[in-house]
Amino acid sequence: MRHKKWLHSMLIVAMVGVVVISGCSSSKDSKKTVEGTTSPSSTSSSTPKVADDPFGKYNPPIEVTTVRNVNASFKYENDETIDKNVWTTIFENELGIKLKNVWSVDGAQFAQKQNVTIASGDLPDFMQVDKVTLFRLIEAGSIEDLTKAYDRFASPFTKNVLQKDGGAALKSVTIDGKLMAIPQTDPNGGVSQGNLLWVRTDWLKTLNLPEPKTIDDVINIADAFLNKDPDGNGKKDTGGLGVNNLLFQDPGTLAGFFNGFHAYPASPHIWIKNDAGKLVFGPVQPQMKTALQKLQEMYAKGIIDKEFGTKPWQKVAEDVGAGKIGILYGNIADPAFVQKNNRTNNPKAEWKPFPIVSSDGRPALVVAGPTAFNYYVVKKGSAHPEAPVKLLNVFLKKFMDTDYAGAKNPFAINPETGINKSLYAPVQVSPVDLNITAHLQVLDSLKSGDGSKLGFPANIHFKRITSFRNGDDTAWFGEKMMGPEGSFSIINQYMKQKSYVSNEFTGAPTPTMQEKEATFKKMIEEMVTKIIMGAAPISDFDKFVTDWKKLGGDQIEKEVNDWYSKKK
């Protein structure tokens, strides 16, 4: 979870911005109006009217309330605040919507404060929620059906953006044909969350080793890095496969290794479809046992650090930086904060990402994450349920329209001050293909040598790569992420080859799931750790499966498949 949050914030700063998306139209000259009901918070006694189009302005203006998660890292320009800034001005001037934050708190206190607000029953007109809270509100009947508001008022541009994942996020919050929330789609979700393998290729060359094509290659490389002095200092001071004590959190995750055995243990706990068309729980499938047997053998040989059970991800990252580890599973952003430190300490260090590899010749599939992590909901009975949709239309038009292609986007991050004005907006989404689109645009521009027509964020990546190629080694990570052999080239490969599997269960946590989730998570982690370390025999996996079933697993499987049968 820690790295996922870091990845999200880091890539949003670097990548979210303008991409060419067809179909945006403002229709701002439309003369059609419809009567709206009087907003309880409107300062006018007359009934507001709004142009019957995505960008129509309320006349007289309306007031719409929300609550805000204000990250401590937010920076403001001049006298702007979360309550009064460029976006609040735009929304009032262009839409006739006066935005009021009922309260705003730092992210660390947001969930608690929001829970208190929900418990009180005094909800704002709209707010951002996570998935668990969303389904709690749906069950309580506290939020509006947004089907009509979205169909009628979402701009073509907005609808285009929210279809970039094939409509998966929208479908996940459509209950009994009713759209219950607007998903905050994210370019750092989906296939971009899939694991990849990072290897020090200068060490491969030193030891005359081939690039990894199979799980056996991964094991042989890790063994050689442990035992054959890849750094040439005459000391046995390098390790094998980098692994951290949380097992399925990168850097140093084992998820990609398990995926190579067609096993799906965690992160997220995933439900997959078996040959009979039934949903089954990934961590209890027999493929897990085969992977565990191999990991146990690797640990016994020292290929996995004997101390991995007490080694947090931070220590794994430190070992990479210090030149002690040369192979580990991770994600697209690792070069920016893990391998970058190694490169700073040793300018001759070379790293390359590889797709995860298979143990048996069958294609290995990474786990694709959800395409939305948060959602926007509207209070039941709100006078203007369409208001957040219209706010989103304007946000996307201003922030992501092609008007700013090749020029500085006034709503993107200012590289001089670090201020990112897009973060002030109370409703914001990004197309899930934003980063991969930028990667492909960068590749085309690198071939031609001309990046002058690139929009944000592709222009930033192009600048980093060309800067690195002209001798600025501090921009090395840009090459390793967005370059021709960078991490996004692997994600592009996964997408083209459909080398991924998604969680088939996208509903609310079932009753038994809510009760047992924490227990099962602990059981999985303890079972995997003990078997790898040889503290438990491989047969303990079978005992774990039996215990899981008895303690509620069978009931959860029934609940999940009941949900799935209705979904179909």
Side-chain angles (χ1 to χ4, degrees):
M1 180 61 71
R2 189 255 8 135
H3 187 45
K4 184 185 291 183
K5 289 181 178 178
W6 177 92
L7 172 63
H8 176 269
S9 60
M10 179 270 180
L11 286 180
I12 286 295
V13 167
M15 298 177 182
V16 172
V18 179
V19 290
V20 178
I21 304 177
S22 62
C24 178
S25 61
S26 67
S27 302
K28 61 185 178 182
D29 295 325
S30 173
K31 301 299 182 182
K32 295 181 182 179
T33 61
V34 294
E35 295 292 331
T37 57
T38 302
S39 169
S41 54
S42 175
T43 57
S44 172
S45 60
S46 61
T47 302
K49 294 181 179 180
V50 56
D52 192 12
D53 71 67
F55 298 91
K57 186 176 182 179
Y58 292 94
N59 182 24
I62 63 171
E63 182 178 270
V64 177
T65 59
T66 190
V67 296
R68 296 299 303 275
N69 178 342
V70 184
N71 192 286
S73 65
F74 273 21
K75 296 178 182 179
Y76 300 96
E77 193 169 83
N78 302 322
D79 59 348
E80 289 187 319
T81 67
I82 198 65
D83 297 311
K84 187 174 178 57
N85 54 66
V86 61
W87 288 108
T88 59
T89 301
I90 287 172
F91 294 147
E92 185 168 356
N93 290 343
E94 298 190 13
L95 292 176
I97 295 179
K98 296 179 179 180
L99 195 67
K100 179 182 178 181
N101 296 320
V102 178
W103 51 259
S104 59
V105 296
D106 180 72
Q109 289 82 44
F110 182 77
Q112 181 179 2
K113 180 76 170 176
Q114 187 176 65
N115 283 334
V116 171
T117 296
I118 292 172
S120 74
D122 188 18
L123 301 182
D125 290 318
F126 77 94
M127 62 181 174
Q128 183 191 71
V129 298
D130 61 21
K131 189 172 185 178
V132 172
T133 304
L134 166 64
F135 281 101
R136 180 155 59 103
L137 291 169
I138 292 174
E139 186 176 351
S142 301
I143 55 177
E144 278 285 346
D145 170 10
L146 299 179
T147 308
K148 291 182 180 179
Y150 181 78
D151 289 346
R152 181 177 178 184
F153 288 98
S155 70
F157 190 101
T158 296
K159 290 178 178 178
N160 189 304
V161 168
L162 288 172
Q163 284 293 330
K164 289 292 183 178
D165 64 348
L170 286 169
K171 291 174 185 175
S172 73
V173 292
T174 300
I175 313 299
D176 296 327
K178 298 177 181 178
L179 180 66
M180 301 307 298
I182 303 299
Q184 186 182 18
T185 54
D186 192 315
N188 304 314
V191 184
S192 292
Q193 288 192 309
N195 271 180
L196 36 80
L197 182 67
W198 287 99
V199 182
R200 273 197 67 168
T201 51
D202 59 315
W203 284 5
L204 288 183
K205 292 176 182 177
T206 296
L207 299 178
N208 196 29
L209 295 170
E211 293 183 343
K213 301 291 185 183
T214 66
I215 286 288
D216 285 341
D217 289 339
V218 170
I219 297 171
N220 290 337
I221 290 169
D223 184 280
F225 285 0
L226 170 70
N227 294 307
K228 296 186 177 180
D229 192 24
D231 59 1
N233 67 356
K235 301 176 182 179
K236 196 175 188 304
D237 58 356
T238 52
L241 183 67
V243 179
N244 73 58
N245 63 340
L246 293 181
L247 301 174
F248 308 117
Q249 176 176 289
D250 39 47
T253 176
L254 283 175
F257 187 90
F258 276 96
N259 296 164
F261 286 82
H262 320 293
Y264 308 100
S267 191
H269 290 176
I270 186 171
W271 290 81
I272 57 178
K273 192 186 302 183
N274 66 11
D275 293 339
K278 181 180 178 181
L279 299 193
V280 293
F281 191 45
V284 298
Q285 301 312 304
Q287 294 87 346
M288 286 282 296
K289 189 173 182 179
T290 310
L292 285 167
Q293 180 71 64
K294 187 63 66 175
L295 288 167
Q296 189 181 74
E297 294 171 5
M298 293 167 65
Y299 179 86
K301 296 177 180 179
I303 299 173
I304 293 176
D305 189 349
K306 297 289 187 180
E307 306 300 322
F308 90 90
T310 58
K311 182 175 286 189
W313 68 264
Q314 293 93 334
K315 179 57 179 172
V316 173
E318 288 176 10
D319 287 346
V320 170
K324 303 301 181 185
I325 291 177
I327 183 170
L328 72 167
Y329 288 89
N331 69 42
I332 51 176
D334 283 356
F337 84 113
V338 181
Q339 288 86 1
K340 181 180 180 180
N341 295 330
N342 181 220
R343 179 76 177 194
T344 299
N345 294 328
N346 179 6
K348 294 182 179 180
E350 283 293 346
W351 288 83
K352 182 179 176 180
F354 296 90
I356 65 167
V357 292
S358 173
S359 61
D360 59 7
R362 292 165 50 207
L365 308 178
V366 295
V367 175
T371 53
F373 303 105
N374 292 298
Y375 307 83
Y376 298 103
V377 297
V378 174
K379 177 179 67 175
K380 186 76 171 180
S382 177
H384 293 282
E386 77 285 347
V389 178
K390 292 168 71 66
L391 294 175
L392 179 57
N393 293 337
V394 171
F395 170 79
L396 288 173
K397 183 176 187 297
K398 296 291 183 182
F399 184 46
M400 305 183 77
D401 203 349
T402 56
D403 296 346
Y404 301 115
K408 180 180 178 182
N409 186 332
F411 303 110
I413 188 169
N414 184 329
E416 297 177 0
T417 64
I419 293 175
N420 186 357
K421 291 193 175 185
S422 73
L423 298 178
Y424 306 166
V427 185
Q428 48 189 288
V429 304
S430 300
V432 296
D433 65 348
L434 179 69
N435 294 329
I436 198 67
T437 297
H439 166 66
L440 297 175
Q441 290 173 343
V442 166
L443 295 189
D444 286 342
S445 295
L446 288 173
K447 291 176 183 177
S448 68
D450 180 13
S452 62
K453 295 181 180 179
L454 289 174
F456 181 90
N459 56 353
I460 287 183
H461 300 303
F462 179 83
K463 182 178 179 181
R464 284 176 181 158
I465 293 172
T466 53
S467 180
F468 164 68
R469 294 182 179 185
N470 288 328
D472 179 9
D473 211 62
T474 63
W476 173 85
F477 72 96
E479 179 80 45
K480 292 302 168 181
M481 289 176 64
M482 283 283 179
E485 292 188 337
S487 52
F488 274 96
S489 70
I490 305 301
I491 301 302
N492 190 42
Q493 178 179 325
Y494 289 158
M495 294 175 71
K496 280 185 173 181
Q497 298 177 356
K498 298 189 183 302
S499 302
Y500 58 90
V501 59
S502 300
N503 192 351
E504 294 283 354
F505 179 69
T506 58
T510 70
T512 311
M513 200 180 284
Q514 293 179 52
E515 179 185 352
K516 299 292 186 178
E517 180 72 16
T519 299
F520 288 159
K521 182 176 185 294
K522 184 177 181 181
M523 285 173 60
I524 293 168
E525 292 173 352
E526 288 182 353
M527 176 270 296
V528 170
T529 300
K530 287 181 179 180
I531 289 179
I532 291 175
M533 296 178 71
I538 193 67
S539 59
D540 261 26
F541 173 76
D542 301 316
K543 181 179 181 301
F544 156 74
V545 174
T546 300
D547 290 344
W548 176 81
K549 287 174 167 289
K550 289 180 178 178
L551 291 173
D554 279 343
Q555 179 60 28
I556 293 176
E557 187 173 281
K558 179 182 182 304
E559 293 168 353
V560 166
N561 279 282
D562 285 346
W563 167 87
Y564 187 60
S565 64
K566 293 176 183 177
K567 177 176 178 287
K568 291 190 293 184

